[in-house]
Amino acid sequence: MSRLIRKRLWCAWLVASLLLVAAPGQAQPQPRPTVKQVLVLQSLERGNLPLDRFTGNLRAGLDQRVDKPVNVVEVVVGASGFVRAPDQAVIDYIRSVYAGRPAPDLVMTVGGPAAVFARRNAQQLFPTAPLLLASVDQRYLRGAALGDNESAVTVVNDFPRLVDDILRVLPETRQIFMVIGSGALGNFWRRELEPGFARHAGRLTFVWSDELTLQDIQRRVANLPKNSAIFYLTFGSDVQGGAYADAQVLADLHASANAPIFGALRPFLGHGIVGGTMISIDELSRNTADIATRILNGEPPSSLRPPPQLPGHPVFDWRELQRWDIPESRLPPGSEVRFRGPSLWSEYEAAILVSIGVLLLQSLLIGRLLYERRARHRAESESRHNLTLAADANRRETMSALTASMGHELAQPLSAVRHNADALQRMVANRKATPEETLEILADIQAGAVAAIQIFERHRVMLRGRELQKTQVDLHSVIGDSLALVAHDMRKHKIEVSLDLSQVPCVTDGDPVLLQQVFLNLVRNAIDALTEIPRTTRRITIASVIEATEVEISVCDSGTGLSPDILDTLYQPFVTTKSHGLGIGLTVTHSIVSAHGGAIVAFANPGGGATFTVTLPRATTAGS
Ligand code: ADP
């Protein structure tokens, strides 16, 4: 860092150097060593981030550039905050370090205080060694021209420009809290900066902290008024003389400050400062290593007068921009943003992929559940619809079956009535009717009429529409009644019926008319299937099996068998293979059986034909 050079020191240095040039014992040049000796006079102890970085880079740069081994001796000549030991003590110390070893090929200074010290005392130490003043603010060299054996790599810190940057990114800023260290260092910088900041008067208030302890500074930065910013220049030591490293001071300020921190030099970036237009120490150390190498290679220092280094392009810390809500659109043109956070994707790629997978899976599961719920509702409403259909169809189907059966059943008694009436009529006409015969024929006519009335009555009962009214139903009787209704068709088509019914009563809780419809449908389908095959093999077997909790009735035929096309849709409405079929019989049958808590399954018989098995809950009170 740079330091103020005072004219009187400069004069003293000149006088001393003149004296020392003439001093005996210093005139004999040492033999040139194969190892290059470099004495580096440091301004501050370790802890100053810019100087530490500069020195580290410089050391590496010398090793890279100089073709001989470089032996660097470092001596701190100015304690932090200019609380220096007397010059003479430092000189004695350096002399003792170099006792018995070759004098330095180059004396370098790092920072302002060391530059001031060197120019004051170099001639007392190594008057013939070239002197390179490095990393020094031009302000320290004001008014003192470089000698022939001197060169300097200077910088022009443009701190007012950094204030401009603050106002650009935070236009509402009204107060800037200046952290510059205390003692001579703080005084120097306050004196140097105040005139430059004058142009902001009216718009900004500058609060100086060179009279405060570090603890006070921390308290103050935690409670700054709204629209404040902090300007960190350097620290060194506080008003009590306590020396602190930049990294620690910045970390503490960053932790407690309620306003953004701006730093004067690039090495502060990454330590909690927002950023701005700052001197690049890396560039400075590179340039310095170049000049030092050239001097070590024999170029006269007077020929090396590099222009002062100006602040580089503005650099900002992305994390601080985020923290203080500073949009990147406000940054000065050409700004570089460092420490940009990794994108959510790059940082959590695996987690994001897993989350998306889980979400997809979850969505699929939810979708599937919704689908199943809808399907269940649809099935339920279809079932209800089919049951209604069943009740209607039951009546219509029953009606047609009953009509057919009634016609057939009535035919016999009515034709008997008719024949008897005809016979009686002829006998009366021919006066052949005896009273006994007349009475006998009239009794037959009466019996026929009664039989017809009974047939009507039975069919009327069956035709009466009813809701699902459960009662204990003997399914063997239901089978008998159903067969009676289709007996005419059976006979007509020469179908052989065999019953294999259990000895135990086959009783369920159900609606007898609907259950009759079930077996009527199954038997009529069997008849239809049988009419398609030769008469000789037409057979229907109805069997019942009684289990502990359920009864099972099978209607097995030797007909055409089930068409493979409709096996999966057998119980759906309007599925039929018959030219005049409605395709509703099995739908109705299935619905009735389901409504009774039972099940129906169809099998293809190994020897041909089909078997439909109906399982229904066994009535609890049924005896066995
Ligand atoms: P439909 O008798 O009006 O066709 P169903 O629902 O009663 O309506 O029967 C649907 C279809 O099931 C029938 O067309 C027939 O193909 C088949 N089917 C039913 N029972 C049998 C059976 N016992 N043998 C062969 N096919 C049958």
Side-chain angles (χ1 to χ4, degrees), residues 226-299:
K226 201 165 170 263
N227 299 326
S228 290
I230 298 162
F231 187 123
Y232 185 89
L233 186 92
T234 183
F235 199 77
S237 63
D238 68 357
V239 75
Q240 290 177 326
Y244 300 96
D246 282 331
Q248 190 54 50
V249 178
L250 278 168
D252 291 348
L253 292 181
H254 188 251
S256 54
N258 67 351
I261 309 169
F262 291 79
L265 297 152
R266 281 229 191 130
F268 298 143
L269 204 74
H271 289 268
I273 66 162
V274 176
T277 307
M278 302 170 284
I279 291 280
S280 162
I281 295 297
D282 290 350
E283 190 185 334
L284 182 65
S285 49
R286 254 195 321 272
N287 293 341
T288 306
D290 276 345
I291 299 289
T293 306
R294 288 168 70 180
I295 295 173
L296 287 171
N297 287 341
E299 285 189 49

Side-chain angles (χ1 to χ4, degrees), residues 397 521-530 555-557 559-563 566 569-589 602 609-612:
E397 290 273 306
N521 282 342
L522 295 180
V523 172
R524 285 167 63 112
N525 275 342
I527 293 171
D528 288 346
L530 286 167
V555 177
C556 169
D557 66 64
T560 51
L562 294 160
S563 160
I566 57 163
T569 52
L570 216 45
Y571 303 107
Q572 288 179 11
F574 313 117
V575 172
T576 181
T577 55
K578 300 170 193 168
S579 53
H580 300 296
L582 270 178
I584 199 129
L586 285 181
T587 311
V588 167
T589 301
T611 297
F612 282 81

Side-chain angles (χ1 to χ4, degrees), residues 402 405-414 417 443-464 481 484-485:
L402 287 176
S405 116
M406 198 160 60
H408 176 73
E409 287 188 49
L410 285 175
Q412 196 262 331
L414 289 181
V417 167
D444 283 349
I445 291 172
Q446 198 175 25
V450 167
I453 288 167
Q454 280 175 345
I455 291 167
F456 270 122
E457 186 55 27
R458 184 153 50 85
H459 287 81
R460 192 181 63 78
V461 169
M462 295 183 79
L463 279 167
R464 197 186 299 141
D481 292 346
L485 289 172

Side-chain angles (χ1 to χ4, degrees), residues 492-496 525-540 556-562 605 607-610:
K492 184 173 146 195
H493 295 296
K494 300 275 187 281
I495 295 169
E496 186 190 314
N525 275 342
I527 293 171
D528 288 346
L530 286 167
T531 53
E532 302 289 314
I533 62 159
R535 288 175 177 239
T536 46
T537 52
R538 293 175 181 171
R539 193 172 53 256
I540 294 178
C556 169
D557 66 64
S558 57
T560 51
L562 294 160
N605 297 331

